Amino acid sequence: MSQIITRGKELIRISPKDSKKLEKSTNGGVSWSTKFSGSSSVGEFQDLTDVGKEILGTTSKGLFKSTNDGVSWSKK
């Protein structure tokens, strides 16, 4: 289970202030910006897993996948 994953040169984490959102860092975690601003259909993120071609996100609404590095999500 992970709250933060590495995708290439980018770190992606569940926002510590709002678990419906994902944040990204391109400078090793020095600063963060919004990657995914949340959706009522996706719910609150609990876990992120990098499985190569996609990211899996366990949320309060079930299992979701992203094929574009966490920009958008669909039900798995």
Side-chain angles (χ1 to χ4, degrees):
M1 297 177 80
S2 184
Q3 299 282 312
I4 186 168
I5 60 172
T6 303
R7 296 277 290 180
K9 296 180 179 181
E10 188 173 77
L11 297 175
I12 302 171
R13 74 175 181 184
I14 301 169
S15 172
K17 294 181 180 178
D18 183 352
S19 60
K20 290 181 181 176
K21 297 180 180 182
L22 297 179
E23 299 174 333
K24 68 176 179 176
S25 175
T26 54
N27 58 11
V30 174
S31 60
W32 295 88
S33 60
T34 300
K35 177 83 169 183
F36 175 72
S37 48
S39 164
S40 59
S41 62
V42 174
E44 297 176 350
F45 284 92
Q46 300 159 344
D47 183 46
L48 296 173
T49 305
D50 182 351
V51 291
K53 292 185 178 182
E54 60 189 22
I55 300 171
L56 297 180
T58 304
T59 78
S60 57
K61 303 274 183 152
L63 183 63
F64 286 78
K65 69 176 181 175
S66 174
T67 56
N68 57 7
D69 294 324
V71 174
S72 62
W73 293 85
S74 60
K75 191 85 167 160
K76 179 80 173 163

Short mmCIF file of all heavy atoms in Angstrom, two decimals:
data_model
loop_
_atom_site.label_atom_id
_atom_site.label_comp_id
_atom_site.label_asym_id
_atom_site.label_seq_id
_atom_site.Cartn_x
_atom_site.Cartn_y
_atom_site.Cartn_z
N MET A 1 0.85 -1.19 0.00
CA MET A 1 0.00 0.00 0.00
C MET A 1 0.88 1.24 0.00
O MET A 1 1.86 1.31 0.71
CB MET A 1 -0.90 0.00 1.23
CG MET A 1 -1.87 -1.17 1.25
SD MET A 1 -2.87 -1.20 2.74
CE MET A 1 -4.11 -0.01 2.31
N SER A 2 0.51 2.20 -0.83
CA SER A 2 1.36 3.36 -0.97
C SER A 2 0.54 4.64 -1.10
O SER A 2 -0.46 4.68 -1.80
CB SER A 2 2.25 3.20 -2.20
OG SER A 2 3.13 4.26 -2.31
N GLN A 3 0.99 5.65 -0.42
CA GLN A 3 0.40 6.97 -0.52
C GLN A 3 1.12 7.80 -1.58
O GLN A 3 0.65 8.86 -1.96
CB GLN A 3 0.50 7.69 0.84
CG GLN A 3 -0.23 7.00 1.96
CD GLN A 3 -1.70 7.23 1.92
OE1 GLN A 3 -2.17 8.35 1.77
NE2 GLN A 3 -2.48 6.18 2.01
N ILE A 4 2.29 7.31 -2.02
CA ILE A 4 3.11 8.03 -3.00
C ILE A 4 3.80 7.02 -3.92
O ILE A 4 4.23 5.97 -3.46
CB ILE A 4 4.14 8.94 -2.28
CG1 ILE A 4 4.88 9.82 -3.28
CG2 ILE A 4 5.07 8.15 -1.43
CD1 ILE A 4 5.69 10.92 -2.61
N ILE A 5 3.84 7.34 -5.21
CA ILE A 5 4.52 6.47 -6.18
C ILE A 5 5.44 7.32 -7.06
O ILE A 5 5.28 8.54 -7.14
CB ILE A 5 3.53 5.67 -7.06
CG1 ILE A 5 2.62 6.60 -7.86
CG2 ILE A 5 2.75 4.67 -6.22
CD1 ILE A 5 1.76 5.89 -8.89
N THR A 6 6.37 6.65 -7.72
CA THR A 6 7.27 7.32 -8.66
C THR A 6 6.94 6.85 -10.06
O THR A 6 6.84 5.66 -10.32
CB THR A 6 8.74 6.96 -8.34
OG1 THR A 6 9.02 7.33 -7.00
CG2 THR A 6 9.68 7.68 -9.27
N ARG A 7 6.72 7.80 -10.97
CA ARG A 7 6.47 7.52 -12.39
C ARG A 7 7.48 8.32 -13.19
O ARG A 7 7.33 9.52 -13.37
CB ARG A 7 5.07 7.92 -12.82
CG ARG A 7 3.94 7.17 -12.17
CD ARG A 7 3.64 5.86 -12.79
NE ARG A 7 3.03 6.00 -14.10
CZ ARG A 7 2.67 4.96 -14.83
NH1 ARG A 7 2.86 3.74 -14.41
NH2 ARG A 7 2.12 5.14 -16.02
N GLY A 8 8.54 7.66 -13.65
CA GLY A 8 9.60 8.38 -14.36
C GLY A 8 10.26 9.37 -13.43
O GLY A 8 10.73 9.02 -12.35
N LYS A 9 10.26 10.64 -13.83
CA LYS A 9 10.87 11.70 -13.01
C LYS A 9 9.86 12.39 -12.11
O LYS A 9 10.17 13.38 -11.46
CB LYS A 9 11.53 12.75 -13.92
CG LYS A 9 12.69 12.18 -14.71
CD LYS A 9 13.32 13.24 -15.58
CE LYS A 9 14.49 12.66 -16.35
NZ LYS A 9 15.14 13.67 -17.20
N GLU A 10 8.64 11.86 -12.06
CA GLU A 10 7.56 12.50 -11.32
C GLU A 10 7.14 11.67 -10.10
O GLU A 10 7.02 10.45 -10.19
CB GLU A 10 6.37 12.67 -12.26
CG GLU A 10 5.23 13.48 -11.73
CD GLU A 10 4.18 13.73 -12.79
OE1 GLU A 10 3.41 12.81 -13.09
OE2 GLU A 10 4.14 14.85 -13.33
N LEU A 11 6.94 12.34 -8.99
CA LEU A 11 6.34 11.72 -7.81
C LEU A 11 4.85 12.04 -7.84
O LEU A 11 4.47 13.17 -8.14
CB LEU A 11 6.96 12.27 -6.52
CG LEU A 11 8.44 12.02 -6.30
CD1 LEU A 11 8.89 12.75 -5.03
CD2 LEU A 11 8.73 10.54 -6.17
N ILE A 12 4.02 11.07 -7.52
CA ILE A 12 2.57 11.27 -7.45
C ILE A 12 2.11 10.79 -6.07
O ILE A 12 2.46 9.69 -5.65
CB ILE A 12 1.83 10.49 -8.55
CG1 ILE A 12 2.33 10.90 -9.93
CG2 ILE A 12 0.32 10.70 -8.43
CD1 ILE A 12 1.81 10.04 -11.06
N ARG A 13 1.37 11.64 -5.37
CA ARG A 13 0.91 11.28 -4.03
C ARG A 13 -0.56 11.63 -3.84
O ARG A 13 -1.12 12.49 -4.52
CB ARG A 13 1.73 11.98 -2.96
CG ARG A 13 1.42 13.46 -2.82
CD ARG A 13 2.17 14.09 -1.67
NE ARG A 13 1.84 15.51 -1.53
CZ ARG A 13 2.41 16.32 -0.67
NH1 ARG A 13 3.36 15.86 0.13
NH2 ARG A 13 2.05 17.59 -0.59
N ILE A 14 -1.15 10.94 -2.88
CA ILE A 14 -2.48 11.29 -2.40
C ILE A 14 -2.30 12.55 -1.57
O ILE A 14 -1.43 12.61 -0.69
CB ILE A 14 -3.09 10.16 -1.57
CG1 ILE A 14 -3.20 8.88 -2.41
CG2 ILE A 14 -4.45 10.57 -1.01
CD1 ILE A 14 -3.55 7.63 -1.62
N SER A 15 -3.09 13.57 -1.84
CA SER A 15 -2.95 14.83 -1.11
C SER A 15 -3.17 14.62 0.39
O SER A 15 -4.17 14.03 0.79
CB SER A 15 -3.97 15.85 -1.62
OG SER A 15 -3.97 17.00 -0.80
N PRO A 16 -2.24 15.09 1.21
CA PRO A 16 -2.42 14.94 2.66
C PRO A 16 -3.55 15.81 3.22
O PRO A 16 -4.06 15.54 4.29
CB PRO A 16 -1.07 15.37 3.23
CG PRO A 16 -0.40 16.15 2.16
CD PRO A 16 -0.96 15.69 0.86
N LYS A 17 -3.99 16.82 2.45
CA LYS A 17 -5.06 17.71 2.92
C LYS A 17 -6.44 17.30 2.41
O LYS A 17 -7.44 17.63 3.03
CB LYS A 17 -4.77 19.15 2.48
CG LYS A 17 -3.54 19.72 3.15
CD LYS A 17 -3.29 21.14 2.71
CE LYS A 17 -2.05 21.68 3.38
NZ LYS A 17 -1.73 23.03 2.97
N ASP A 18 -6.48 16.57 1.27
CA ASP A 18 -7.75 16.17 0.68
C ASP A 18 -7.53 14.87 -0.10
O ASP A 18 -6.99 14.90 -1.21
CB ASP A 18 -8.27 17.26 -0.24
CG ASP A 18 -9.63 16.94 -0.84
OD1 ASP A 18 -10.13 15.81 -0.68
OD2 ASP A 18 -10.21 17.83 -1.50
N SER A 19 -7.94 13.74 0.45
CA SER A 19 -7.65 12.45 -0.15
C SER A 19 -8.43 12.18 -1.45
O SER A 19 -8.25 11.15 -2.07
CB SER A 19 -7.89 11.32 0.85
OG SER A 19 -9.23 11.32 1.28
N LYS A 20 -9.27 13.12 -1.88
CA LYS A 20 -9.91 12.99 -3.19
C LYS A 20 -8.98 13.48 -4.30
O LYS A 20 -9.22 13.22 -5.47
CB LYS A 20 -11.21 13.81 -3.24
CG LYS A 20 -12.31 13.22 -2.38
CD LYS A 20 -13.56 14.05 -2.48
CE LYS A 20 -14.65 13.47 -1.58
NZ LYS A 20 -15.84 14.30 -1.58
N LYS A 21 -7.92 14.19 -3.92
CA LYS A 21 -7.01 14.79 -4.89
C LYS A 21 -5.66 14.08 -4.93
O LYS A 21 -5.23 13.49 -3.94
CB LYS A 21 -6.76 16.26 -4.52
CG LYS A 21 -7.99 17.12 -4.57
CD LYS A 21 -7.66 18.55 -4.21
CE LYS A 21 -8.91 19.42 -4.26
NZ LYS A 21 -8.59 20.82 -3.94
N LEU A 22 -5.01 14.16 -6.11
CA LEU A 22 -3.64 13.68 -6.26
C LEU A 22 -2.75 14.87 -6.59
O LEU A 22 -3.18 15.81 -7.28
CB LEU A 22 -3.55 12.66 -7.40
CG LEU A 22 -4.33 11.37 -7.21
CD1 LEU A 22 -4.14 10.47 -8.43
CD2 LEU A 22 -3.91 10.64 -5.95
N GLU A 23 -1.52 14.82 -6.10
CA GLU A 23 -0.55 15.88 -6.36
C GLU A 23 0.69 15.29 -7.02
O GLU A 23 0.97 14.11 -6.88
CB GLU A 23 -0.16 16.56 -5.05
CG GLU A 23 -1.33 17.21 -4.34
CD GLU A 23 -0.99 17.77 -2.98
OE1 GLU A 23 -0.05 17.26 -2.34
OE2 GLU A 23 -1.67 18.70 -2.55
N LYS A 24 1.43 16.14 -7.73
CA LYS A 24 2.65 15.70 -8.39
C LYS A 24 3.81 16.61 -8.01
O LYS A 24 3.62 17.78 -7.69
CB LYS A 24 2.49 15.69 -9.91
CG LYS A 24 2.35 17.09 -10.49
CD LYS A 24 2.30 17.06 -12.00
CE LYS A 24 2.14 18.48 -12.54
NZ LYS A 24 2.17 18.53 -13.99
N SER A 25 5.01 16.04 -8.05
CA SER A 25 6.23 16.81 -7.84
C SER A 25 7.25 16.37 -8.89
O SER A 25 7.41 15.18 -9.15
CB SER A 25 6.80 16.55 -6.44
OG SER A 25 8.05 17.21 -6.30
N THR A 26 7.91 17.35 -9.48
CA THR A 26 8.96 17.06 -10.46
C THR A 26 10.33 17.47 -9.92
O THR A 26 11.31 17.46 -10.65
CB THR A 26 8.69 17.77 -11.80
OG1 THR A 26 8.52 19.16 -11.56
CG2 THR A 26 7.45 17.21 -12.47
N ASN A 27 10.37 17.83 -8.63
CA ASN A 27 11.65 18.25 -8.03
C ASN A 27 11.95 17.48 -6.74
O ASN A 27 12.46 18.04 -5.78
CB ASN A 27 11.66 19.77 -7.79
CG ASN A 27 10.53 20.24 -6.90
OD1 ASN A 27 9.83 19.44 -6.29
ND2 ASN A 27 10.34 21.54 -6.83
N GLY A 28 11.61 16.20 -6.75
CA GLY A 28 11.93 15.34 -5.61
C GLY A 28 11.11 15.60 -4.36
O GLY A 28 11.52 15.24 -3.26
N GLY A 29 9.96 16.23 -4.50
CA GLY A 29 9.08 16.46 -3.36
C GLY A 29 9.27 17.81 -2.68
O GLY A 29 8.66 18.07 -1.65
N VAL A 30 10.09 18.68 -3.27
CA VAL A 30 10.29 20.02 -2.69
C VAL A 30 9.00 20.83 -2.80
O VAL A 30 8.59 21.49 -1.86
CB VAL A 30 11.46 20.75 -3.39
CG1 VAL A 30 11.57 22.19 -2.91
CG2 VAL A 30 12.77 20.00 -3.18
N SER A 31 8.35 20.77 -3.95
CA SER A 31 7.07 21.46 -4.12
C SER A 31 6.09 20.52 -4.83
O SER A 31 6.50 19.60 -5.54
CB SER A 31 7.25 22.75 -4.91
OG SER A 31 7.77 22.48 -6.20
N TRP A 32 4.80 20.79 -4.62
CA TRP A 32 3.74 19.93 -5.14
C TRP A 32 2.68 20.76 -5.84
O TRP A 32 2.39 21.89 -5.43
CB TRP A 32 3.09 19.14 -4.00
CG TRP A 32 4.03 18.18 -3.35
CD1 TRP A 32 4.88 18.44 -2.31
CD2 TRP A 32 4.26 16.82 -3.72
NE1 TRP A 32 5.61 17.32 -2.01
CE2 TRP A 32 5.25 16.30 -2.85
CE3 TRP A 32 3.72 15.98 -4.69
CZ2 TRP A 32 5.69 14.99 -2.94
CZ3 TRP A 32 4.16 14.67 -4.77
CH2 TRP A 32 5.13 14.19 -3.90
N SER A 33 2.08 20.20 -6.90
CA SER A 33 0.97 20.84 -7.59
C SER A 33 -0.11 19.78 -7.85
O SER A 33 0.16 18.58 -7.80
CB SER A 33 1.41 21.48 -8.90
OG SER A 33 1.95 20.51 -9.78
N THR A 34 -1.32 20.23 -8.14
CA THR A 34 -2.44 19.32 -8.34
C THR A 34 -2.28 18.53 -9.64
O THR A 34 -2.03 19.11 -10.69
CB THR A 34 -3.77 20.09 -8.36
OG1 THR A 34 -3.92 20.76 -7.11
CG2 THR A 34 -4.96 19.16 -8.57
N LYS A 35 -2.43 17.24 -9.56
CA LYS A 35 -2.39 16.34 -10.72
C LYS A 35 -3.82 15.94 -11.11
O LYS A 35 -4.17 15.92 -12.26
CB LYS A 35 -1.58 15.09 -10.35
CG LYS A 35 -1.49 14.03 -11.40
CD LYS A 35 -0.41 14.36 -12.40
CE LYS A 35 -0.12 13.21 -13.32
NZ LYS A 35 0.96 13.51 -14.23
N PHE A 36 -4.64 15.60 -10.10
CA PHE A 36 -6.04 15.22 -10.30
C PHE A 36 -6.84 15.92 -9.20
O PHE A 36 -6.57 15.73 -8.02
CB PHE A 36 -6.18 13.70 -10.21
CG PHE A 36 -7.60 13.20 -10.29
CD1 PHE A 36 -8.30 13.23 -11.48
CD2 PHE A 36 -8.23 12.67 -9.17
CE1 PHE A 36 -9.61 12.76 -11.56
CE2 PHE A 36 -9.53 12.19 -9.23
CZ PHE A 36 -10.22 12.24 -10.43
N SER A 37 -7.81 16.74 -9.60
CA SER A 37 -8.51 17.55 -8.61
C SER A 37 -9.70 16.88 -7.95
O SER A 37 -10.39 17.49 -7.14
CB SER A 37 -8.93 18.89 -9.23
OG SER A 37 -9.54 18.71 -10.46
N GLY A 38 -9.91 15.60 -8.25
CA GLY A 38 -10.94 14.86 -7.54
C GLY A 38 -12.24 14.77 -8.31
O GLY A 38 -12.51 15.57 -9.20
N SER A 39 -13.04 13.77 -7.94
CA SER A 39 -14.32 13.53 -8.58
C SER A 39 -15.20 12.76 -7.60
O SER A 39 -14.72 11.84 -6.93
CB SER A 39 -14.11 12.72 -9.86
OG SER A 39 -15.32 12.17 -10.30
N SER A 40 -16.47 13.12 -7.56
CA SER A 40 -17.38 12.40 -6.66
C SER A 40 -17.55 10.94 -7.10
O SER A 40 -17.82 10.07 -6.27
CB SER A 40 -18.74 13.09 -6.61
OG SER A 40 -19.31 13.15 -7.90
N SER A 41 -17.37 10.65 -8.39
CA SER A 41 -17.50 9.27 -8.85
C SER A 41 -16.28 8.41 -8.51
O SER A 41 -16.38 7.19 -8.42
CB SER A 41 -17.76 9.23 -10.36
OG SER A 41 -16.68 9.79 -11.06
N VAL A 42 -15.12 9.04 -8.31
CA VAL A 42 -13.90 8.30 -7.94
C VAL A 42 -13.80 8.13 -6.43
O VAL A 42 -13.41 7.08 -5.94
CB VAL A 42 -12.64 9.00 -8.50
CG1 VAL A 42 -11.37 8.32 -8.02
CG2 VAL A 42 -12.68 9.03 -10.02
N GLY A 43 -14.16 9.15 -5.67
CA GLY A 43 -14.12 9.07 -4.21
C GLY A 43 -12.77 9.43 -3.64
O GLY A 43 -11.95 10.08 -4.29
N GLU A 44 -12.51 8.98 -2.42
CA GLU A 44 -11.28 9.29 -1.70
C GLU A 44 -10.25 8.20 -1.94
O GLU A 44 -10.55 7.02 -1.77
CB GLU A 44 -11.57 9.42 -0.20
CG GLU A 44 -12.51 10.56 0.12
CD GLU A 44 -12.86 10.62 1.59
OE1 GLU A 44 -12.52 9.69 2.35
OE2 GLU A 44 -13.47 11.62 1.98
N PHE A 45 -9.04 8.61 -2.32
CA PHE A 45 -7.97 7.65 -2.56
C PHE A 45 -7.46 7.08 -1.24
O PHE A 45 -7.32 7.80 -0.25
CB PHE A 45 -6.81 8.31 -3.30
CG PHE A 45 -7.08 8.53 -4.76
CD1 PHE A 45 -7.63 9.72 -5.21
CD2 PHE A 45 -6.80 7.54 -5.69
CE1 PHE A 45 -7.89 9.92 -6.55
CE2 PHE A 45 -7.06 7.73 -7.04
CZ PHE A 45 -7.60 8.92 -7.47
N GLN A 46 -7.18 5.79 -1.24
CA GLN A 46 -6.62 5.11 -0.08
C GLN A 46 -5.26 4.52 -0.39
O GLN A 46 -4.42 4.37 0.49
CB GLN A 46 -7.57 4.00 0.38
CG GLN A 46 -8.93 4.53 0.77
CD GLN A 46 -10.02 3.47 0.74
OE1 GLN A 46 -9.88 2.41 0.15
NE2 GLN A 46 -11.15 3.79 1.35
N ASP A 47 -5.03 4.18 -1.68
CA ASP A 47 -3.80 3.49 -2.08
C ASP A 47 -3.53 3.72 -3.55
O ASP A 47 -4.47 3.77 -4.35
CB ASP A 47 -3.97 1.99 -1.79
CG ASP A 47 -2.72 1.18 -2.10
OD1 ASP A 47 -1.63 1.61 -1.70
OD2 ASP A 47 -2.85 0.13 -2.75
N LEU A 48 -2.25 3.83 -3.92
CA LEU A 48 -1.82 3.94 -5.31
C LEU A 48 -0.83 2.83 -5.61
O LEU A 48 0.04 2.54 -4.79
CB LEU A 48 -1.15 5.28 -5.58
CG LEU A 48 -1.99 6.54 -5.43
CD1 LEU A 48 -1.11 7.78 -5.57
CD2 LEU A 48 -3.11 6.56 -6.45
N THR A 49 -0.95 2.22 -6.79
CA THR A 49 -0.02 1.17 -7.21
C THR A 49 0.35 1.39 -8.67
O THR A 49 -0.53 1.52 -9.53
CB THR A 49 -0.66 -0.23 -7.07
OG1 THR A 49 -1.12 -0.40 -5.73
CG2 THR A 49 0.34 -1.32 -7.39
N ASP A 50 1.65 1.43 -8.94
CA ASP A 50 2.16 1.55 -10.31
C ASP A 50 2.30 0.15 -10.88
O ASP A 50 3.06 -0.66 -10.36
CB ASP A 50 3.51 2.27 -10.27
CG ASP A 50 4.10 2.49 -11.65
OD1 ASP A 50 3.57 1.94 -12.64
OD2 ASP A 50 5.11 3.21 -11.74
N VAL A 51 1.54 -0.16 -11.94
CA VAL A 51 1.62 -1.48 -12.56
C VAL A 51 2.10 -1.38 -14.01
O VAL A 51 1.65 -2.13 -14.88
CB VAL A 51 0.27 -2.25 -12.45
CG1 VAL A 51 -0.01 -2.64 -11.02
CG2 VAL A 51 -0.88 -1.45 -13.03
N GLY A 52 3.00 -0.46 -14.26
CA GLY A 52 3.58 -0.33 -15.59
C GLY A 52 2.82 0.61 -16.50
O GLY A 52 3.01 1.82 -16.44
N LYS A 53 1.92 0.06 -17.31
CA LYS A 53 1.20 0.88 -18.28
C LYS A 53 0.07 1.70 -17.65
O LYS A 53 -0.46 2.60 -18.28
CB LYS A 53 0.63 0.02 -19.41
CG LYS A 53 1.69 -0.57 -20.29
CD LYS A 53 1.09 -1.30 -21.46
CE LYS A 53 2.20 -1.84 -22.36
NZ LYS A 53 1.66 -2.52 -23.53
N GLU A 54 -0.30 1.36 -16.43
CA GLU A 54 -1.36 2.10 -15.75
C GLU A 54 -1.08 2.22 -14.26
O GLU A 54 -0.23 1.52 -13.72
CB GLU A 54 -2.73 1.46 -16.01
CG GLU A 54 -2.87 0.04 -15.53
CD GLU A 54 -4.17 -0.62 -15.98
OE1 GLU A 54 -4.79 -0.19 -16.96
OE2 GLU A 54 -4.56 -1.60 -15.33
N ILE A 55 -1.80 3.15 -13.65
CA ILE A 55 -1.76 3.31 -12.19
C ILE A 55 -3.09 2.79 -11.67
O ILE A 55 -4.15 3.09 -12.24
CB ILE A 55 -1.60 4.79 -11.78
CG1 ILE A 55 -0.31 5.37 -12.33
CG2 ILE A 55 -1.63 4.93 -10.26
CD1 ILE A 55 -0.20 6.88 -12.14
N LEU A 56 -3.06 2.00 -10.62
CA LEU A 56 -4.28 1.55 -9.97
C LEU A 56 -4.48 2.38 -8.71
O LEU A 56 -3.53 2.63 -7.96
CB LEU A 56 -4.19 0.07 -9.61
CG LEU A 56 -4.05 -0.90 -10.77
CD1 LEU A 56 -3.97 -2.33 -10.25
CD2 LEU A 56 -5.19 -0.75 -11.77
N GLY A 57 -5.70 2.78 -8.49
CA GLY A 57 -6.04 3.53 -7.29
C GLY A 57 -7.18 2.85 -6.56
O GLY A 57 -8.26 2.65 -7.13
N THR A 58 -6.93 2.47 -5.31
CA THR A 58 -8.00 1.96 -4.46
C THR A 58 -8.65 3.17 -3.80
O THR A 58 -7.95 3.99 -3.20
CB THR A 58 -7.44 1.00 -3.39
OG1 THR A 58 -6.71 -0.03 -4.04
CG2 THR A 58 -8.56 0.40 -2.56
N THR A 59 -9.96 3.29 -3.95
CA THR A 59 -10.67 4.46 -3.40
C THR A 59 -11.88 4.00 -2.59
O THR A 59 -12.20 2.82 -2.55
CB THR A 59 -11.16 5.39 -4.54
OG1 THR A 59 -12.33 4.83 -5.13
CG2 THR A 59 -10.08 5.62 -5.60
N SER A 60 -12.54 4.97 -2.00
CA SER A 60 -13.75 4.68 -1.24
C SER A 60 -14.89 4.20 -2.15
O SER A 60 -15.89 3.68 -1.67
CB SER A 60 -14.19 5.93 -0.47
OG SER A 60 -14.38 7.01 -1.36
N LYS A 61 -14.73 4.34 -3.48
CA LYS A 61 -15.75 3.91 -4.44
C LYS A 61 -15.33 2.66 -5.21
O LYS A 61 -16.01 2.26 -6.14
CB LYS A 61 -16.04 5.04 -5.44
CG LYS A 61 -16.47 6.34 -4.81
CD LYS A 61 -17.93 6.38 -4.56
CE LYS A 61 -18.31 7.73 -4.00
NZ LYS A 61 -19.65 8.13 -4.30
N GLY A 62 -14.18 2.06 -4.85
CA GLY A 62 -13.74 0.84 -5.53
C GLY A 62 -12.36 0.98 -6.15
O GLY A 62 -11.59 1.86 -5.78
N LEU A 63 -12.08 0.13 -7.13
CA LEU A 63 -10.78 0.11 -7.79
C LEU A 63 -10.87 0.87 -9.11
O LEU A 63 -11.75 0.60 -9.93
CB LEU A 63 -10.33 -1.34 -8.05
CG LEU A 63 -8.96 -1.53 -8.67
CD1 LEU A 63 -7.87 -1.00 -7.74
CD2 LEU A 63 -8.72 -3.00 -8.97
N PHE A 64 -9.94 1.81 -9.31
CA PHE A 64 -9.91 2.63 -10.51
C PHE A 64 -8.55 2.52 -11.17
O PHE A 64 -7.56 2.16 -10.53
CB PHE A 64 -10.20 4.09 -10.16
CG PHE A 64 -11.64 4.35 -9.85
CD1 PHE A 64 -12.18 4.01 -8.62
CD2 PHE A 64 -12.48 4.93 -10.79
CE1 PHE A 64 -13.51 4.24 -8.33
CE2 PHE A 64 -13.81 5.15 -10.52
CZ PHE A 64 -14.33 4.81 -9.29
N LYS A 65 -8.50 2.84 -12.48
CA LYS A 65 -7.24 2.81 -13.22
C LYS A 65 -7.05 4.13 -13.97
O LYS A 65 -8.01 4.79 -14.35
CB LYS A 65 -7.20 1.66 -14.20
CG LYS A 65 -8.16 1.81 -15.36
CD LYS A 65 -8.02 0.68 -16.36
CE LYS A 65 -8.99 0.89 -17.52
NZ LYS A 65 -8.83 -0.11 -18.56
N SER A 66 -5.79 4.46 -14.17
CA SER A 66 -5.43 5.62 -14.98
C SER A 66 -4.37 5.17 -15.98
O SER A 66 -3.38 4.55 -15.60
CB SER A 66 -4.87 6.75 -14.11
OG SER A 66 -4.40 7.80 -14.95
N THR A 67 -4.60 5.49 -17.24
CA THR A 67 -3.62 5.16 -18.28
C THR A 67 -2.88 6.40 -18.76
O THR A 67 -2.12 6.34 -19.72
CB THR A 67 -4.32 4.47 -19.49
OG1 THR A 67 -5.36 5.33 -19.96
CG2 THR A 67 -4.90 3.12 -19.09
N ASN A 68 -3.10 7.54 -18.08
CA ASN A 68 -2.42 8.78 -18.45
C ASN A 68 -1.73 9.42 -17.24
O ASN A 68 -1.81 10.62 -17.02
CB ASN A 68 -3.38 9.76 -19.13
CG ASN A 68 -4.59 10.10 -18.28
OD1 ASN A 68 -4.68 9.72 -17.12
ND2 ASN A 68 -5.53 10.81 -18.85
N ASP A 69 -1.07 8.59 -16.46
CA ASP A 69 -0.26 9.02 -15.30
C ASP A 69 -1.05 9.75 -14.22
O ASP A 69 -0.53 10.62 -13.53
CB ASP A 69 0.93 9.88 -15.75
CG ASP A 69 1.94 9.09 -16.56
OD1 ASP A 69 2.14 7.89 -16.25
OD2 ASP A 69 2.52 9.65 -17.51
N GLY A 70 -2.34 9.41 -14.07
CA GLY A 70 -3.13 9.95 -12.97
C GLY A 70 -3.94 11.19 -13.30
O GLY A 70 -4.57 11.76 -12.42
N VAL A 71 -3.96 11.61 -14.56
CA VAL A 71 -4.73 12.79 -14.95
C VAL A 71 -6.23 12.51 -14.92
O VAL A 71 -7.02 13.33 -14.47
CB VAL A 71 -4.29 13.29 -16.35
CG1 VAL A 71 -5.18 14.44 -16.82
CG2 VAL A 71 -2.84 13.74 -16.32
N SER A 72 -6.64 11.31 -15.38
CA SER A 72 -8.05 10.92 -15.34
C SER A 72 -8.15 9.46 -14.92
O SER A 72 -7.20 8.69 -15.06
CB SER A 72 -8.72 11.14 -16.70
OG SER A 72 -8.12 10.34 -17.69
N TRP A 73 -9.34 9.09 -14.41
CA TRP A 73 -9.54 7.76 -13.81
C TRP A 73 -10.83 7.14 -14.32
O TRP A 73 -11.83 7.84 -14.52
CB TRP A 73 -9.58 7.90 -12.28
CG TRP A 73 -8.27 8.33 -11.74
CD1 TRP A 73 -7.80 9.61 -11.64
CD2 TRP A 73 -7.22 7.48 -11.27
NE1 TRP A 73 -6.52 9.61 -11.14
CE2 TRP A 73 -6.14 8.31 -10.90
CE3 TRP A 73 -7.09 6.10 -11.13
CZ2 TRP A 73 -4.95 7.81 -10.38
CZ3 TRP A 73 -5.91 5.60 -10.62
CH2 TRP A 73 -4.86 6.45 -10.26
N SER A 74 -10.81 5.81 -14.46
CA SER A 74 -12.01 5.07 -14.84
C SER A 74 -12.09 3.80 -13.97
O SER A 74 -11.08 3.29 -13.50
CB SER A 74 -12.01 4.71 -16.32
OG SER A 74 -10.89 3.91 -16.64
N LYS A 75 -13.32 3.33 -13.78
CA LYS A 75 -13.56 2.14 -12.96
C LYS A 75 -12.86 0.94 -13.58
O LYS A 75 -12.90 0.74 -14.78
CB LYS A 75 -15.07 1.90 -12.88
CG LYS A 75 -15.48 0.87 -11.85
CD LYS A 75 -15.63 1.48 -10.49
CE LYS A 75 -16.34 0.50 -9.58
NZ LYS A 75 -16.11 0.79 -8.19
N LYS A 76 -12.18 0.15 -12.74
CA LYS A 76 -11.46 -1.04 -13.22
C LYS A 76 -12.40 -2.22 -13.30
O LYS A 76 -13.24 -2.40 -12.47
CB LYS A 76 -10.29 -1.31 -12.28
CG LYS A 76 -9.46 -2.51 -12.62
CD LYS A 76 -8.50 -2.19 -13.71
CE LYS A 76 -7.56 -3.39 -13.89
NZ LYS A 76 -6.87 -3.36 -15.12
#
